[in-house]
Protein backbone atom coordinates (compact mmCIF):
# COMPACT_ATOMS: atom_id res chain seq x y z
CA UNK A 1 0.00 0.00 0.00
CA UNK A 2 1.62 3.26 -1.05
CA UNK A 3 1.62 6.34 1.14
CA UNK A 4 -1.27 7.87 -0.76
CA UNK A 5 -3.49 4.90 0.14
CA UNK A 6 -2.33 4.48 3.72
CA UNK A 7 -5.01 4.41 6.45
CA UNK A 8 -5.80 7.83 7.89
CA UNK A 9 -5.56 6.47 11.43
CA UNK A 10 -1.85 6.34 12.21
CA UNK A 11 -1.46 4.88 15.70
CA UNK A 12 -3.06 4.47 19.09
CA UNK A 13 -2.02 7.45 21.17
CA UNK A 14 -4.19 7.16 24.30
CA UNK A 15 -6.45 4.66 25.99
CA UNK A 16 -8.83 6.48 28.35
CA UNK A 17 -10.24 4.73 31.39
CA UNK A 18 -13.20 6.33 33.18
CA UNK A 19 -13.16 5.43 36.86
CA UNK A 20 -15.01 6.24 40.05
CA UNK A 21 -11.68 6.31 41.93
CA UNK A 22 -8.69 7.38 39.85
CA UNK A 23 -6.28 7.04 42.79
CA UNK A 24 -6.84 3.28 42.96
CA UNK A 25 -6.17 2.99 39.23
CA UNK A 26 -2.92 4.91 39.70
CA UNK A 27 -1.90 2.66 42.61
CA UNK A 28 -2.58 -0.60 40.77
CA UNK A 29 -0.95 0.45 37.50
CA UNK A 30 2.14 1.96 39.09
CA UNK A 31 2.67 -0.91 41.52
CA UNK A 32 1.93 -3.88 39.29
CA UNK A 33 2.39 -2.69 35.68
CA UNK A 34 5.16 -0.14 36.29
CA UNK A 35 3.19 2.61 34.56
CA UNK A 36 4.14 6.03 35.94
CA UNK A 37 2.14 9.24 36.31
CA UNK A 38 3.41 11.95 33.96
CA UNK A 39 0.59 14.47 34.41
CA UNK A 40 -2.27 15.39 36.72
CA UNK A 41 -4.93 18.01 36.28
CA UNK A 42 -8.58 18.89 35.82
CA UNK A 43 -10.44 18.59 32.54
CA UNK A 44 -11.32 21.97 31.11
CA UNK A 45 -14.71 22.87 29.71
CA UNK A 46 -13.58 23.09 26.08
CA UNK A 47 -12.13 19.59 26.13
CA UNK A 48 -15.19 18.18 27.91
CA UNK A 49 -17.48 19.81 25.35
CA UNK A 50 -15.36 18.38 22.51
CA UNK A 51 -16.25 14.92 23.86
CA UNK A 52 -19.93 15.90 24.14
CA UNK A 53 -19.48 15.18 27.86
CA UNK A 54 -19.96 18.62 29.43
CA UNK A 55 -20.17 17.30 33.00
CA UNK A 56 -16.57 16.07 32.71
CA UNK A 57 -15.50 19.71 33.11
CA UNK A 58 -13.36 20.22 36.22
CA UNK A 59 -13.18 16.48 36.89
CA UNK A 60 -9.70 15.31 37.98
CA UNK A 61 -7.64 13.19 35.64
CA UNK A 62 -4.17 11.69 35.51
CA UNK A 63 -2.01 10.42 32.67
CA UNK A 64 0.20 7.32 32.93
CA UNK A 65 2.84 6.06 30.55
CA UNK A 66 5.13 3.01 30.40
CA UNK A 67 8.37 3.08 32.35
CA UNK A 68 10.19 3.83 29.07
CA UNK A 69 8.37 7.18 28.97
CA UNK A 70 7.03 6.55 25.46
CA UNK A 71 4.53 9.12 24.26
CA UNK A 72 1.73 6.53 24.40
CA UNK A 73 -0.56 6.97 27.34
CA UNK A 74 -3.29 5.64 29.57
CA UNK A 75 -5.46 8.51 30.77
CA UNK A 76 -7.72 8.01 33.79
CA UNK A 77 -10.70 10.36 34.22
CA UNK A 78 -12.96 10.62 37.24
CA UNK A 79 -16.64 9.81 36.70
CA UNK A 80 -19.50 9.06 39.05
CA UNK A 81 -20.36 5.44 39.70
CA UNK A 82 -22.35 3.63 37.01
CA UNK A 83 -24.24 0.97 38.93
CA UNK A 84 -25.41 -1.15 36.01
CA UNK A 85 -22.10 -1.46 34.18
CA UNK A 86 -20.68 -4.94 33.69
CA UNK A 87 -17.65 -5.27 31.40
CA UNK A 88 -17.92 -7.15 28.10
CA UNK A 89 -21.71 -7.00 28.06
CA UNK A 90 -22.25 -3.78 26.10
CA UNK A 91 -21.12 -2.23 22.85
CA UNK A 92 -18.16 0.08 22.38
CA UNK A 93 -14.53 -0.12 23.41
CA UNK A 94 -14.44 -3.48 25.13
CA UNK A 95 -10.77 -3.99 26.10
CA UNK A 96 -7.34 -2.43 25.76
CA UNK A 97 -4.34 -4.59 24.85
CA UNK A 98 -0.77 -3.94 26.02
CA UNK A 99 2.39 -5.51 24.63
CA UNK A 100 4.51 -7.17 27.31
CA UNK A 101 7.92 -8.85 27.45
CA UNK A 102 6.86 -12.18 28.97
CA UNK A 103 3.23 -12.83 29.83
CA UNK A 104 4.08 -15.87 31.96
CA UNK A 105 6.42 -13.88 34.22
CA UNK A 106 3.81 -11.15 34.43
CA UNK A 107 1.17 -13.72 35.35
CA UNK A 108 3.24 -14.90 38.30
CA UNK A 109 3.52 -11.29 39.47
CA UNK A 110 -0.15 -10.45 38.98
CA UNK A 111 -1.29 -13.53 40.92
CA UNK A 112 -0.24 -11.56 44.00
CA UNK A 113 -1.98 -8.38 42.84
CA UNK A 114 -5.53 -7.03 43.24
CA UNK A 115 -6.09 -7.33 39.47
CA UNK A 116 -8.71 -9.99 38.78
CA UNK A 117 -7.25 -12.58 36.41
CA UNK A 118 -10.10 -13.59 34.11
CA UNK A 119 -7.98 -15.48 31.58
CA UNK A 120 -4.59 -17.09 32.38
CA UNK A 121 -1.79 -17.00 29.80
CA UNK A 122 -2.28 -19.18 26.75
CA UNK A 123 -1.24 -19.40 23.13
CA UNK A 124 -3.74 -18.16 20.57
CA UNK A 125 -3.07 -21.37 18.65
CA UNK A 126 -3.19 -22.11 14.93
CA UNK A 127 -1.31 -19.65 12.74
CA UNK A 128 -1.04 -17.34 15.75
CA UNK A 129 0.49 -19.88 18.13
CA UNK A 130 3.49 -17.58 18.71
CA UNK A 131 1.20 -15.03 20.39
CA UNK A 132 0.48 -15.68 24.06
CA UNK A 133 -1.96 -13.55 26.06
CA UNK A 134 -3.77 -13.25 29.36
CA UNK A 135 -6.70 -11.07 30.43
CA UNK A 136 -7.34 -9.15 33.64
CA UNK A 137 -10.01 -6.86 35.05
CA UNK A 138 -8.83 -3.64 36.67
CA UNK A 139 -10.28 -1.41 39.40
CA UNK A 140 -12.55 0.55 37.04
CA UNK A 141 -13.93 -2.67 35.51
CA UNK A 142 -11.65 -2.06 32.55
CA UNK A 143 -10.43 -5.16 30.74
CA UNK A 144 -6.78 -5.48 29.76
CA UNK A 145 -5.31 -8.03 27.39
CA UNK A 146 -1.59 -8.53 28.17
CA UNK A 147 0.18 -10.04 25.20
CA UNK A 148 3.65 -11.19 24.16
CA UNK A 149 5.34 -12.62 21.09
CA UNK A 150 7.17 -15.80 22.17
CA UNK A 151 9.12 -16.04 18.91
CA UNK A 152 10.07 -12.36 18.59
CA UNK A 153 10.70 -12.70 14.85
CA UNK A 154 12.15 -9.58 13.15
CA UNK A 155 9.10 -9.35 10.87
CA UNK A 156 6.52 -9.96 13.61
CA UNK A 157 3.16 -8.19 13.38
CA UNK A 158 3.45 -7.33 17.06
CA UNK A 159 5.50 -4.34 18.23
CA UNK A 160 8.62 -4.97 20.28
CA UNK A 161 8.01 -4.15 23.95
CA UNK A 162 10.35 -1.43 25.17
CA UNK A 163 9.52 -2.29 28.80
CA UNK A 164 8.36 -5.31 30.77
CA UNK A 165 4.86 -3.89 30.30
CA UNK A 166 4.82 -1.76 27.18
CA UNK A 167 2.42 0.42 25.25
CA UNK A 168 -1.16 -0.12 24.08
CA UNK A 169 -1.15 -1.68 20.61
CA UNK A 170 -4.64 -3.08 20.07
CA UNK A 171 -8.02 -1.64 21.00
CA UNK A 172 -10.97 -4.02 21.00
CA UNK A 173 -14.40 -2.91 19.86
CA UNK A 174 -17.64 -4.75 20.58
CA UNK A 175 -20.34 -4.46 17.92
CA UNK A 176 -23.58 -6.12 16.81
CA UNK A 177 -22.48 -6.28 13.17
CA UNK A 178 -18.83 -6.68 12.31
CA UNK A 179 -19.37 -6.22 8.57
CA UNK A 180 -20.89 -2.82 9.30
CA UNK A 181 -18.00 -1.94 11.63
CA UNK A 182 -15.49 -2.82 8.94
CA UNK A 183 -17.37 -0.76 6.39
CA UNK A 184 -17.46 2.23 8.75
CA UNK A 185 -13.72 2.23 9.47
CA UNK A 186 -12.79 1.45 5.88
CA UNK A 187 -14.97 4.19 4.42
CA UNK A 188 -14.19 6.85 7.02
CA UNK A 189 -10.51 6.17 7.68
CA UNK A 190 -9.27 4.16 4.71
CA UNK A 191 -8.51 1.03 6.69
CA UNK A 192 -8.07 -2.14 4.67
CA UNK A 193 -10.92 -4.64 4.79
CA UNK A 194 -9.69 -7.94 6.18
CA UNK A 195 -11.25 -11.38 6.23
CA UNK A 196 -13.31 -12.10 9.34
CA UNK A 197 -12.83 -15.21 11.42
CA UNK A 198 -14.86 -17.25 13.90
CA UNK A 199 -13.36 -18.23 17.23
CA UNK A 200 -14.00 -19.00 20.88
CA UNK A 201 -13.38 -16.06 23.23
CA UNK A 202 -13.74 -17.58 26.67
CA UNK A 203 -13.46 -14.39 28.75
CA UNK A 204 -16.32 -12.78 26.84
CA UNK A 205 -18.46 -15.93 26.92
CA UNK A 206 -17.99 -16.13 30.69
CA UNK A 207 -18.99 -12.49 31.13
CA UNK A 208 -22.09 -13.07 29.03
CA UNK A 209 -23.06 -16.34 30.78
CA UNK A 210 -22.59 -18.28 27.56
CA UNK A 211 -20.83 -21.65 27.13
CA UNK A 212 -17.06 -21.35 26.74
CA UNK A 213 -17.45 -23.09 23.38
CA UNK A 214 -19.57 -20.21 22.06
CA UNK A 215 -18.23 -18.94 18.72
CA UNK A 216 -17.79 -15.22 18.05
CA UNK A 217 -17.20 -13.40 14.81
CA UNK A 218 -14.05 -11.29 15.05
CA UNK A 219 -11.44 -9.58 12.92
CA UNK A 220 -8.60 -7.06 12.83
CA UNK A 221 -7.78 -3.90 10.93
CA UNK A 222 -4.27 -2.45 10.84
CA UNK A 223 -3.51 1.26 11.23
CA UNK A 224 -0.86 2.94 9.11
CA UNK A 225 1.97 2.60 11.66
CA UNK A 226 3.25 -0.92 12.26
CA UNK A 227 2.04 -2.60 15.44
CA UNK A 228 -1.28 -0.74 15.83
CA UNK A 229 -4.61 -2.50 15.33
CA UNK A 230 -8.34 -2.35 15.92
CA UNK A 231 -9.92 -5.70 16.79
CA UNK A 232 -13.68 -6.02 16.49
CA UNK A 233 -15.77 -8.68 18.23
CA UNK A 234 -19.31 -9.55 17.22
CA UNK A 235 -21.81 -9.49 20.08
CA UNK A 236 -25.33 -10.89 19.98
CA UNK A 237 -28.08 -8.30 19.53
CA UNK A 238 -29.12 -8.91 23.16
CA UNK A 239 -26.17 -6.69 24.10
CA UNK A 240 -26.62 -3.01 23.41
CA UNK A 241 -25.61 0.49 24.47
CA UNK A 242 -23.35 0.91 27.47
CA UNK A 243 -24.94 2.39 30.60
CA UNK A 244 -23.47 5.83 31.23
CA UNK A 245 -24.04 8.87 33.43
CA UNK A 246 -25.55 11.65 31.33
CA UNK A 247 -22.94 14.23 30.41
CA UNK A 248 -19.98 12.03 31.42
CA UNK A 249 -17.68 9.60 29.64
CA UNK A 250 -18.63 5.91 29.37
CA UNK A 251 -17.30 3.76 32.24
CA UNK A 252 -14.37 1.36 32.06
CA UNK A 253 -12.59 1.26 28.69
CA UNK A 254 -14.00 4.63 27.75
CA UNK A 255 -12.43 6.25 24.69
CA UNK A 256 -9.52 5.79 22.31
CA UNK A 257 -7.34 8.56 20.91
CA UNK A 258 -5.74 8.01 17.49
CA UNK A 259 -3.28 10.21 15.64
CA UNK A 260 -4.08 11.58 12.18
CA UNK A 261 -2.24 13.87 9.79
CA UNK A 262 -5.11 16.31 9.40
CA UNK A 263 -8.59 16.68 10.83
CA UNK A 264 -9.65 18.70 7.82
CA UNK A 265 -9.50 15.75 5.41
CA UNK A 266 -11.88 13.56 7.42
CA UNK A 267 -15.46 12.99 6.27
CA UNK A 268 -17.03 12.03 9.57
CA UNK A 269 -19.64 13.36 11.98
CA UNK A 270 -17.96 14.99 14.95
CA UNK A 271 -19.65 15.33 18.34
CA UNK A 272 -17.96 18.60 19.29
CA UNK A 273 -15.69 21.37 18.10
CA UNK A 274 -11.97 21.28 17.36
CA UNK A 275 -9.89 22.19 20.41
CA UNK A 276 -6.28 22.82 21.32
CA UNK A 277 -5.15 21.59 24.72
CA UNK A 278 -1.80 21.85 26.49
CA UNK A 279 -1.93 18.39 28.07
CA UNK A 280 1.06 16.13 27.36
CA UNK A 281 -1.38 14.10 25.27
CA UNK A 282 -1.93 16.93 22.77
CA UNK A 283 0.97 19.36 23.22
CA UNK A 284 -1.19 22.16 21.86
CA UNK A 285 -2.12 20.28 18.68
CA UNK A 286 -5.67 20.19 17.37
CA UNK A 287 -8.02 17.41 18.43
CA UNK A 288 -11.63 16.55 17.77
CA UNK A 289 -13.91 13.65 18.70
CA UNK A 290 -16.27 11.59 16.56
CA UNK A 291 -18.72 8.76 17.22
CA UNK A 292 -18.18 5.38 15.65
CA UNK A 293 -20.62 2.79 14.36
CA UNK A 294 -21.53 1.47 17.82
CA UNK A 295 -21.46 4.90 19.46
CA UNK A 296 -17.84 4.51 20.58
CA UNK A 297 -15.96 7.77 21.08
CA UNK A 298 -13.03 8.21 18.69
CA UNK A 299 -10.75 11.07 19.64
CA UNK A 300 -8.43 12.24 16.87
CA UNK A 301 -5.32 14.36 17.42
CA UNK A 302 -3.14 15.82 14.67
CA UNK A 303 0.53 14.80 14.57
Amino acid sequence: MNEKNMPLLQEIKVNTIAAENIDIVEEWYSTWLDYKVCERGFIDQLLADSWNAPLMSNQPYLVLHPSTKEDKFIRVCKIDRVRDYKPMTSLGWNSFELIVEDVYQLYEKLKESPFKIIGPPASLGGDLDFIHAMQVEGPAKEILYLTCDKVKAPDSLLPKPKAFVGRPFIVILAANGIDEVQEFYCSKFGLKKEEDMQTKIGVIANAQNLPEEHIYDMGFMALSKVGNFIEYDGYDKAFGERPCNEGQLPPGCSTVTFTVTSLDTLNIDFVGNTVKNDSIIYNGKRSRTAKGFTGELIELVEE
Side-chain angles (χ1 to χ4, degrees), residues 191-207:
L191 272 62
K192 182 182 176 184
K193 191 163 187 174
E194 302 286 354
E195 186 175 349
D196 301 331
M197 60 189 84
Q198 288 75 43
T199 185
K200 295 180 288 186
I201 310 178
V203 291
I204 300 178
N206 289 337

Side-chain angles (χ1 to χ4, degrees), residues 262-267 274 286 302:
S262 172
L263 296 171
D264 298 330
T265 61
L266 299 175
N267 177 24
T274 301
R286 298 197 307 162
E302 290 181 336

Side-chain angles (χ1 to χ4, degrees), residues 222-238:
L223 309 189
S224 64
K225 292 195 176 181
V226 173
N228 290 269
F229 304 90
I230 296 172
E231 175 185 330
Y232 44 96
D233 297 338
Y235 281 18
D236 187 270
K237 292 191 182 299

Side-chain angles (χ1 to χ4, degrees), residues 66-268:
S67 60
T68 52
K69 300 182 179 179
E70 294 176 75
D71 63 342
K72 310 293 182 290
F73 306 102
I74 292 177
R75 173 170 54 193
V76 191
C77 298
K78 170 77 168 67
I79 60 168
D80 298 326
R81 184 180 181 188
V82 180
R83 294 184 180 275
D84 298 329
Y85 176 58
K86 181 184 177 184
M88 297 186 292
T89 60
S90 59
L91 306 182
W93 299 117
N94 180 38
S95 314
F96 298 147
E97 189 157 357
L98 311 181
I99 190 71
V100 305
E101 184 66 40
D102 188 316
V103 72
Y104 293 92
Q105 288 184 24
L106 183 58
Y107 172 66
E108 293 301 318
K109 179 179 180 180
L110 293 185
K111 283 197 296 187
E112 308 300 321
S113 82
F115 280 99
K116 180 182 178 182
I117 296 172
I118 59 175
S123 166
L124 299 193
D127 293 340
L128 300 177
D129 61 352
F130 62 96
I131 300 176
H132 293 238
M134 66 179 289
Q135 300 82 32
V136 301
E137 181 179 324
K141 298 184 179 179
E142 78 281 13
I143 303 299
L144 298 180
Y145 286 46
L146 303 163
T147 302
C148 76
D149 179 346
K150 294 295 285 184
V151 175
K152 295 181 172 61
D155 59 348
S156 174
L157 295 174
L158 275 61
K160 292 179 173 58
K162 297 182 179 179
F164 186 61
V165 179
R167 67 169 175 87
F169 78 107
I170 298 178
V171 287
I172 302 168
L173 181 65
N176 288 145
I178 63 173
D179 290 338
E180 292 86 348
V181 167
Q182 261 198 351
E183 179 59 32
F184 176 86
Y185 279 89
C186 292
S187 64
K188 298 299 184 183
F189 298 112
L191 272 62
K192 182 182 176 184
K193 191 163 187 174
E194 302 286 354
E195 186 175 349
D196 301 331
M197 60 189 84
Q198 288 75 43
T199 185
K200 295 180 288 186
I201 310 178
V203 291
I204 300 178
N206 289 337
Q208 297 177 354
N209 296 317
L210 294 170
E212 287 213 9
E213 300 300 311
H214 183 80
I215 299 297
Y216 290 88
D217 292 326
M218 69 169 295
F220 293 87
M221 292 179 287
L223 309 189
S224 64
K225 292 195 176 181
V226 173
N228 290 269
F229 304 90
I230 296 172
E231 175 185 330
Y232 44 96
D233 297 338
Y235 281 18
D236 187 270
K237 292 191 182 299
F239 301 99
E241 186 176 348
R242 181 167 307 178
C244 181
N245 297 314
E246 186 174 353
Q248 294 191 339
L249 290 176
C253 294
S254 185
T255 70
V256 178
T257 306
F258 301 96
T259 60
V260 295
T261 301
S262 172
L263 296 171
D264 298 330
T265 61
L266 299 175
N267 177 24
I268 192 168

